[in-house]
Amino acid sequence: MAANRAMINPESTELPAFTFRFEDAEGNPIDPTNIATDVTVIVEINDDNDWEYFDALYIGLGYVPWAGGRDAATFGATSLEYTYSLEGKSGEILLHIVAYNHNRARMDQIVTLNFQPPETPVIAERFAPTGVWIYSLTKDSPIEFYGLKETAGSKLASKELHLDELNGAPVEGNIFVQIAWDAPATSTDIVGYNIYRSDDGGLTYKKVAFRTGDYGFDHGIGIEPGKEYFYKVRSVYSDGSESGDSNVVRMVPLDIFKVKLVSPANRATNVSRRPIFRWIPTDKEDPTKAPVLGGGLIDENDIYYGYYLWIYDTTQSDGQHIVPDDEFYTFGPSEVSVQFLDPSYDWYYFVMGDWYYYFFDGLEAYKTYEWGLDYAYAIYYGDDEDGDGFEDWISLAVTIDWGYGIDRWVNEPDYYNRFTTGEGY
């Protein structure tokens, strides 16, 4: 048992005290040293007052669980139940019960479970997964908290990914990687899948996750933008053996970028009532340089940049927003220039909770507005090397997203420009 020191320096008596029970499907007690059936693990807090120190509880069989990978979890509750199948388990396996208090002090209690399954049938043939697919998200602020929720099928477009429970990620991490695959048509005796990653060009691989479903994710530790990674997946069988490799997917996470709002400049006056809005993507640290998102491994002109422009009326008490009907885009990090009421787009304004077609011939004279981007992202679609009709990998970098779902979380703009119109066009 180990506890990380918290700011309030808790004594051992202040840590949660747990009891454990192991039961079969009928609720009968099971000896954890001789488990011959499916087993339900029941973890409870001994003292009713201990919940004051208790925030999160994870359990993991055969590994140390965390927020991004666990068999079960509970938050702010006093008990947890989870049933483990006997299938595919044999011999002594360590059950980790990891608890956190509100100051993130951590306790890992370990219980040895000894599984005694019936004799494993001989597996005649093993089948590898196919259609491995990678989705990478890089954002310009720490991810901090996440947990993945599967939607329909393993092949998900970037906007079809969803997050359910927001619970944990690497400190200061800003890269999220999902791996999905197609299960073999013959799945008898398959108990899960091992995910492997290589960062040396595919020469050596290390296992980064085991999952029972047809998707998983890499927690992001050790992953850097603009670097090359390779992923593969193997089926795991009930006797502990693996299949051969799936298809191997090469993936490059994009680096982040910033957006410089060029004109109208902040605090500009006598601005045209049909102003030309100009902005440009820049390097994340040097606004005078163009961003390089692919680390030299991707043709930068093949990266799609998408933006959505908003104009804010600063004098409306309820807020009036003026927007085009579609996003602006470039291939490669180019400056964007668009004149207000450009006829290539329909323009609308939002006021008092409703949308209206903007039928005026320009902005109001002598009025103060703010403008900026409500989302800005870059995306690259990899090749379809395995020929299954889907890109093998997608890399996305998001610098702004005010809740449009391109980023998995809200990603606030760095700033807006305020300007005041004049009389003329």
Side-chain angles (χ1 to χ4, degrees), residues 5 11 16 116 123 126 145 183 186 234 254 298-299 339 343 347 349 369:
R5 191 173 185 176
E11 300 294 335
Q116 302 295 331
I123 298 173
R126 294 162 181 81
F145 299 102
T186 303
R234 294 174 179 170
L254 296 183
I298 298 173
D299 186 340
Q339 186 166 25
W347 296 77
Y349 65 95
Y369 296 87

Side-chain angles (χ1 to χ4, degrees), residues 109-167:
Q109 185 149 347
I110 300 171
V111 180
T112 300
L113 305 185
N114 192 353
F115 291 88
Q116 302 295 331
E119 291 187 9
T120 303
V122 176
I123 298 173
E125 189 174 3
R126 294 162 181 81
F127 300 91
T130 58
V132 172
W133 175 87
I134 310 293
Y135 169 86
S136 169
L137 165 67
T138 311
K139 57 183 292 172
D140 67 353
S141 59
I143 286 177
E144 295 182 356
F145 299 102
Y146 65 71
L148 188 63
K149 176 183 178 182
E150 184 183 14
T151 58
S154 61
K155 297 297 187 296
L156 306 177
S158 61
K159 292 185 181 181
E160 291 177 324
L161 279 172
H162 292 278
L163 293 174
D164 188 11
E165 300 172 351
L166 306 183
N167 302 310

Side-chain angles (χ1 to χ4, degrees), residues 87-315:
E87 184 179 3
K89 300 176 181 65
S90 179
E92 293 186 349
I93 305 176
L94 298 181
L95 175 69
H96 290 263
I97 299 136
V98 174
Y100 290 86
N101 70 7
H102 293 280
N103 286 294
R104 312 312 292 161
R106 173 179 172 272
M107 180 180 71
D108 182 1
Q109 185 149 347
I110 300 171
V111 180
T112 300
L113 305 185
N114 192 353
F115 291 88
Q116 302 295 331
E119 291 187 9
T120 303
V122 176
I123 298 173
E125 189 174 3
R126 294 162 181 81
F127 300 91
T130 58
V132 172
W133 175 87
I134 310 293
Y135 169 86
S136 169
L137 165 67
T138 311
K139 57 183 292 172
D140 67 353
S141 59
I143 286 177
E144 295 182 356
F145 299 102
Y146 65 71
L148 188 63
K149 176 183 178 182
E150 184 183 14
T151 58
S154 61
K155 297 297 187 296
L156 306 177
S158 61
K159 292 185 181 181
E160 291 177 324
L161 279 172
H162 292 278
L163 293 174
D164 188 11
E165 300 172 351
L166 306 183
N167 302 310
V171 176
E172 299 302 321
N174 72 330
I175 297 180
F176 176 94
V177 179
Q178 179 190 347
I179 306 98
W181 55 88
D182 295 325
T186 303
S187 58
T188 304
D189 295 320
I190 292 178
V191 296
Y193 303 89
N194 284 332
I195 302 171
Y196 293 89
R197 182 183 81 203
S198 171
D199 56 9
D200 62 1
L203 298 177
T204 61
Y205 285 84
K206 66 177 181 179
K207 187 171 76 173
V208 295
F210 168 80
R211 292 292 180 265
T212 56
D214 57 0
Y215 74 96
F217 56 94
D218 194 341
H219 47 58
I221 295 175
I223 300 177
E224 300 179 27
K227 300 292 181 66
E228 183 178 59
Y229 300 94
F230 293 82
Y231 286 87
K232 64 183 181 181
V233 182
R234 294 174 179 170
S235 304
V236 179
Y237 283 80
S238 58
D239 63 355
S241 64
E242 291 185 323
S243 70
D245 293 338
S246 68
N247 60 304
V248 175
V249 175
R250 168 187 175 271
M251 186 271 293
V252 179
L254 296 183
D255 205 347
I256 58 176
F257 66 101
K258 294 291 186 178
V259 176
K260 180 180 180 180
L261 305 180
V262 179
S263 68
N266 192 36
R267 299 183 181 180
T269 58
N270 198 32
V271 173
S272 167
R273 294 171 60 191
R274 293 181 189 165
I276 296 176
F277 295 99
R278 294 193 300 125
W279 63 89
I280 189 169
T282 69
D283 180 82
K284 60 185 178 183
E285 297 177 352
D286 187 346
T288 66
K289 295 182 179 179
V292 177
L293 305 188
L297 301 173
I298 298 173
D299 186 340
E300 296 293 317
N301 291 320
D302 289 337
I303 299 175
Y304 176 100
Y305 285 77
Y307 311 94
Y308 197 44
L309 170 68
W310 276 62
I311 306 165
Y312 293 85
D313 186 333
T314 62
T315 62

Side-chain angles (χ1 to χ4, degrees), residues 342-365:
D342 180 331
S344 302
Y345 299 84
D346 290 328
W347 296 77
Y348 296 88
Y349 65 95
F350 178 80
V351 64
M352 301 297 289
D354 289 311
W355 292 95
Y356 302 91
Y357 184 77
Y358 195 88
F359 53 83
F360 304 107
D361 62 354
L363 298 175
E364 294 185 55

